[in-house]
Amino acid sequence: MSIIEVTDVTKIFGEDPKRILPLLKEGWSKDRIFKETRHTVGVNRVQFAVEPGEIFVIMGLSGSGKSTLVRLLNRLIEPTGGAIRIAGQDITRLNAEQLRKVRQKKISMVFQKFALFPHRTLLENVEYGLEVQKVPKKEREPKAREALRLVGLEERADSYPEQLSGGMQQRVGLARALANDPEILLMDEAFSALDPLIRKDMQDELLELQEKMKKTIVFITHDLDEALRIGDRIALMKDGAIVQIGTPEEIMVNPANEYVERFVEDVDLSKVLTASHVMRRPETIGLDRGARVALQLMRESGISNLFVTDRSRKLIGVLTADDASEAVKRGQPLEEIVIRDTPVVAPEMLLHELFDICGTSKYPVAVVNEAGRIVGVIVRGAVLGALAGHVANREVSVDAAETTA
Amino acid sequence: MLPKLPLDKWVDRMVDSIEENLNFLFDPISAAIEGVVDFFSYLLHLPPAIVLIVLFAALAWWIMRWPMALFTFVGLFLIDNLGYWDHTMDTLALVLTSAIVSIVLGVPIGIACARNNRTQSIVTPILDFMQTMPAFVYLIPAVTFFNLGVVPGVIASVIFAVPPTIRLTNLGIRQVPADLVEAADSFGSTPSQKLFKVQLPLAVPSIMAGINQTLMLALSMVVIASLIGAQGIGADVYRAVSQIKTGKGFEAGLAIVILAIFLDRLTQHLVKGKKHADRRG
């Protein structure tokens, strides 16, 4: 079951927002509503569901309504219409006391500008969520220290926020949100105020933490690279509405409309596409065959290298045409001329990580799955083609290679 | 021509009816205020002047370092030397009482204003009125309700001095960054947890600035309060004026100035100084 289920959620700012709801249903545009009624549509009939343990990224430019949307999820902003179910419970119907309970136990938030309390030490900041639940100091302090340890700041527990750099402050923000062990983390542009290198570190750290914690994370960002890096799924917002929801790959490869397409056209494809997108079908030969057969195969397919595998298609090494013709003259078996320290990569490896390997290797790069079986080969031309926007021939997928094996 | 509005009659009638109907309130208020003034007065007159002078100088040194401590020592010693020590302590008791009453009333009213825009829009014009109405005018109802002496002096001082505490408490709370308030809400704080754990602590510098202003205004009321029988250095100034004794007037005025500088610097540095001590500890 989905842990967050958002149905038809709308937020309209203005004097009499309820009056505007029917107009939206009639299909009035945001602009027309503003011009004729002086009401602003913040979030327009949004619908999505988030699965437990998922990192769900909501991305859009400023003014797209993403920050409003995330505040609707814990009702820091009251929705005008629609239902928001957190673990099955519609929080739009809760009274103030019940809502406080949900905020205390189930949902924590991390803020763009950290929002640490400047008059409290790091430890006291992290304790805050437990403190308002009236957890006694003796119980909450170890929990807060543990949360600080998770983000690597346990030694600074008695420092004040102003004594820390931005990146460290946001770690405290994260620790504060984790201390009361919520099921859901809302992260509102959590890394946007950090400089790019720190931002990347924090993204990595978040992913690492997520491996251990398996929280459900709703992450707001305006940075598509960030969305692609950390999102399991991405919802793209424009003018308060969701334009497309999908995995990073789906959004890149099949943009739902022109808006998404324009959005993604500047994206660094090398950080989205993986080896499995650009690899070609590998030409292989069994180790038990002779050099003459190998030469014949190369001649037929017009290539100068062959991958050598065992009977179960596990990669052993690579064979060059020169070595093969030498071996034919001397009558050597393949065993003796196969080059075993050939570079291999996993199918999930991102393109930009491939550049270095492809650039320095004398031999084609083999794509090898977890079982050690060869599933593809990376050819330089295909990498360049993919960067130019031509995603390689999809018939060679990981699965296809398995079945032909 | 339009006949004159009987505004004076209306006000008189209102004051009369307040006196009649709320009389039961005035005696306990009067007793409480008198008790506080007497308490401070007793404390300040208990040790010999030199002991207090050293204590105040030490306080100044602890909070602000030595130049201010030196000023405090020399200044207070001068007051004692000129023969105004007892009256200055009477005045200090009056000012401290006015300040405490102002804080007790002003901070909660300021909080109420910060939490509710309507309260703010009602209170603000009243404060404007209180601050611009000539302070002498408050003496009349204060005497009507509380007779002569130190109590109406405190009441008139409070009316004149409380607005900055209210305004700056309100402002201080409203200036707490919105994202901190949001953070407090997002963790499920109750409104009072939010107030006491986040908003008030962050508003302390602003509230202290208000209290500082309140103290200064209360001090500026001591001469006026002496018109209705409040004892202290204000009475010395008033006497010097009525007898046209410039030298005496200067001496008494100087005593007020020294006291004012001491109280002003002390309250200005209270927040900063304490923060430093905490960090070092």
Side-chain angles (χ1 to χ4, degrees):
Chain A
M1 195 187 70
S2 306
I3 185 161
I4 305 176
E5 231 184 303
V6 173
T7 326
D8 244 2
V9 163
T10 301
K11 176 65 191 180
I12 296 159
F13 297 98
E15 302 239 310
D16 186 9
K18 291 265 185 227
R19 188 169 61 89
I20 309 300
L21 277 178
L23 300 181
L24 264 185
K25 290 220 172 76
E26 279 171 32
W28 285 39
S29 73
K30 186 177 165 160
D31 282 345
R32 182 170 171 205
I33 288 176
F34 183 72
K35 270 191 198 124
E36 295 184 23
T37 72
R38 294 283 136 192
H39 282 67
T40 306
V41 180
V43 171
N44 184 356
R45 288 168 301 162
V46 157
Q47 200 128 336
F48 64 86
V50 183
E51 305 305 319
E54 186 178 29
I55 300 186
F56 187 81
V57 174
I58 298 171
M59 95 140 275
L61 300 175
S62 58
S64 62
K66 56 193 192 304
S67 277
T68 306
L69 177 56
V70 75
R71 279 166 178 71
L72 295 175
L73 298 183
N74 60 358
R75 271 178 64 191
L76 282 178
I77 297 177
E78 286 294 331
T80 310
I84 299 163
R85 283 188 196 80
I86 304 289
Q89 182 184 35
D90 185 354
I91 64 154
T92 59
R93 294 167 188 276
L94 301 183
N95 64 28
E97 180 54 36
Q98 292 166 322
L99 178 62
R100 273 199 288 276
K101 281 273 165 309
V102 170
R103 288 175 179 172
Q104 288 173 357
K105 309 269 187 198
K106 291 191 178 155
I107 306 182
S108 290
M109 194 157 174
V110 181
F111 294 85
Q112 175 171 14
K113 291 189 182 122
F114 323 137
L116 300 179
F117 304 124
H119 59 296
R120 293 172 152 246
T121 63
L122 301 195
L123 185 69
E124 288 164 348
N125 263 286
V126 176
E127 278 178 15
Y128 187 85
L130 296 163
E131 194 180 318
V132 297
Q133 295 178 37
K134 305 212 166 67
V135 176
K137 177 88 183 158
K138 247 192 241 163
E139 277 177 53
R140 66 180 195 243
E141 198 188 308
K143 285 186 184 169
R145 283 195 189 279
E146 171 61 19
L148 273 175
R149 199 189 57 75
L150 271 180
V151 299
L153 283 172
E154 74 270 43
E155 320 236 299
R156 307 287 308 258
D158 297 321
S159 305
Y160 283 84
E162 61 174 20
Q163 299 168 310
L164 268 58
S165 68
M168 284 157 115
Q169 289 195 30
Q170 194 56 301
R171 288 200 181 128
V172 180
L174 191 55
R176 179 175 65 176
L178 291 175
N180 36 348
D181 195 25
E183 293 160 45
I184 299 167
L185 269 185
L186 304 179
M187 304 186 71
D188 179 27
E189 301 244 13
F191 303 149
S192 300
L194 307 174
D195 65 57
L197 283 178
I198 308 280
R199 192 184 312 166
K200 192 166 169 297
D201 286 347
M202 291 293 286
Q203 291 164 357
D204 289 341
E205 223 166 293
L206 179 71
L207 291 174
E208 213 172 289
L209 275 175
Q210 174 66 354
E211 282 288 306
K212 292 181 228 163
M213 303 181 311
K214 299 280 179 225
K215 303 278 181 206
T216 305
I217 300 177
V218 178
F219 194 104
I220 308 297
T221 183
H222 64 262
D223 175 358
L224 187 58
D225 282 337
E226 182 168 72
L228 296 171
R229 251 175 83 81
I230 66 172
D232 292 321
R233 280 188 309 146
I234 299 171
L236 256 152
M237 274 188 95
K238 187 197 175 202
D239 292 342
I242 289 183
V243 198
Q244 184 175 11
I245 299 183
T247 62
E249 193 186 311
E250 280 165 8
I251 291 203
M252 294 299 306
V253 180
N254 300 311
N257 61 24
E258 221 173 284
Y259 175 76
V260 183
E261 205 169 313
R262 270 191 22 229
F263 216 110
V264 299
E265 73 186 359
D266 291 333
V267 161
D268 187 350
L269 279 168
S270 73
K271 287 177 181 163
V272 184
L273 297 177
T274 61
S276 63
H277 289 115
V278 300
M279 67 194 185
R280 298 276 162 86
R281 181 197 293 273
E283 295 297 337
T284 61
I285 186 169
L287 188 61
D288 49 358
R289 302 299 158 95
R292 204 173 295 275
V293 183
L295 266 181
Q296 177 64 25
L297 254 175
M298 289 188 216
R299 212 169 290 133
E300 270 171 19
S301 21
I303 51 179
S304 54
N305 299 284
L306 270 186
F307 289 106
V308 182
T309 64
D310 67 9
R311 278 175 181 281
S312 59
R313 277 184 77 85
K314 277 205 176 115
L315 181 72
I316 293 169
V318 72
L319 186 68
T320 65
D322 293 346
D323 289 350
S325 53
E326 279 291 306
V328 169
K329 285 179 200 154
R330 297 187 195 158
Q332 281 172 310
L334 283 189
E335 181 86 55
E336 283 174 27
I337 56 168
V338 60
I339 299 157
R340 287 168 198 267
D341 60 349
T342 170
V344 296
V345 299
E348 303 82 30
M349 185 172 269
L350 290 172
L351 230 53
H352 75 105
E353 297 168 302
L354 279 176
F355 293 150
D356 205 29
I357 302 169
C358 287
T360 53
S361 170
K362 281 186 280 182
Y363 312 111
V365 176
V367 183
V368 168
N369 67 14
E370 281 165 29
R373 294 197 180 92
I374 182 162
V375 292
V377 54
I378 306 286
V379 188
R380 278 174 219 180
V383 175
L384 292 177
L387 287 180
H390 312 294
V391 172
N393 179 354
R394 301 292 316 232
E395 69 195 56
V396 188
S397 69
V398 179
D399 298 335
E402 291 275 5
T403 47
T404 55
Chain B
M1 223 177 85
L2 225 65
K4 176 189 176 295
L5 269 181
L7 190 57
D8 51 349
K9 299 266 168 20
W10 292 345
V11 174
D12 285 347
R13 213 172 302 153
M14 194 183 73
V15 170
D16 285 347
S17 87
I18 292 176
E19 197 191 354
E20 264 169 47
N21 297 314
L22 298 177
N23 210 2
F24 66 97
L25 271 178
F26 297 139
D27 283 345
I29 291 176
S30 182
I33 290 175
E34 198 147 16
V36 178
V37 176
D38 286 349
F39 172 73
F40 280 127
S41 195
Y42 170 76
L43 271 188
L44 294 168
H45 284 109
L46 190 62
I50 188 69
V51 175
L52 263 187
I53 292 174
V54 170
L55 273 179
F56 283 147
L59 185 66
W61 180 81
W62 183 58
I63 291 177
M64 300 170 285
R65 306 296 153 211
W66 65 267
M68 205 45 217
L70 188 69
F71 169 85
T72 305
F73 184 81
V74 173
L76 294 182
F77 197 80
L78 180 66
I79 291 176
D80 188 32
N81 176 268
L82 295 174
Y84 291 100
W85 181 258
D86 282 342
H87 284 178
T88 304
M89 289 304 105
D90 286 339
T91 295
L92 186 56
L94 172 85
V95 168
L96 286 179
T97 307
S98 306
I100 286 174
V101 175
S102 297
I103 293 165
V104 168
L105 290 177
V107 172
I109 295 176
I111 292 171
C113 289
R115 299 181 103 183
N116 187 320
N117 284 335
R118 184 169 292 172
T119 311
Q120 179 183 243
S121 63
I122 293 170
V123 169
T124 309
I126 298 177
L127 297 183
D128 295 339
F129 181 90
M130 283 160 70
Q131 280 189 299
T132 44
M133 177 66 92
F136 283 95
V137 178
Y138 298 131
L139 297 180
I140 313 165
V143 169
T144 314
F145 299 147
F146 297 99
N147 294 322
L148 293 175
V150 74
V151 176
V154 169
I155 300 285
S157 299
V158 166
I159 296 175
F160 187 62
V162 75
T165 296
I166 298 176
R167 285 190 211 275
L168 285 160
T169 301
N170 175 30
L171 184 72
I173 292 176
R174 283 177 184 267
Q175 277 180 341
V176 171
D179 58 342
L180 295 186
V181 176
E182 225 177 24
D185 281 332
S186 79
F187 285 101
S189 318
T190 61
S192 67
Q193 284 174 330
K194 183 168 69 176
L195 179 68
F196 287 108
K197 290 176 193 292
V198 178
Q199 291 172 309
L200 271 186
L202 291 171
V204 161
S206 175
I207 295 174
M208 281 308 296
I211 290 172
N212 170 276
Q213 289 297 301
T214 290
L215 258 176
M216 293 301 104
L217 288 180
L219 201 56
S220 74
M221 277 293 285
V222 294
V223 177
I224 295 172
S226 74
L227 295 181
I228 49 171
Q231 285 309 303
I233 198 82
D236 293 316
V237 174
Y238 179 52
R239 213 169 298 127
V241 171
S242 59
Q243 298 170 2
I244 323 188
K245 287 187 172 167
T246 313
K248 285 275 173 211
F250 181 79
E251 280 180 4
L254 186 66
I256 293 180
V257 170
I258 291 169
L259 190 62
I261 293 176
F262 171 67
L263 290 176
D264 176 54
R265 299 296 186 273
L266 196 71
T267 43
Q268 270 188 29
H269 285 81
L270 214 53
V271 180
K272 275 188 251 164
K274 235 190 124 230
K275 214 170 168 188
H276 274 293
D278 280 350
R279 290 287 160 81
R280 271 184 277 122

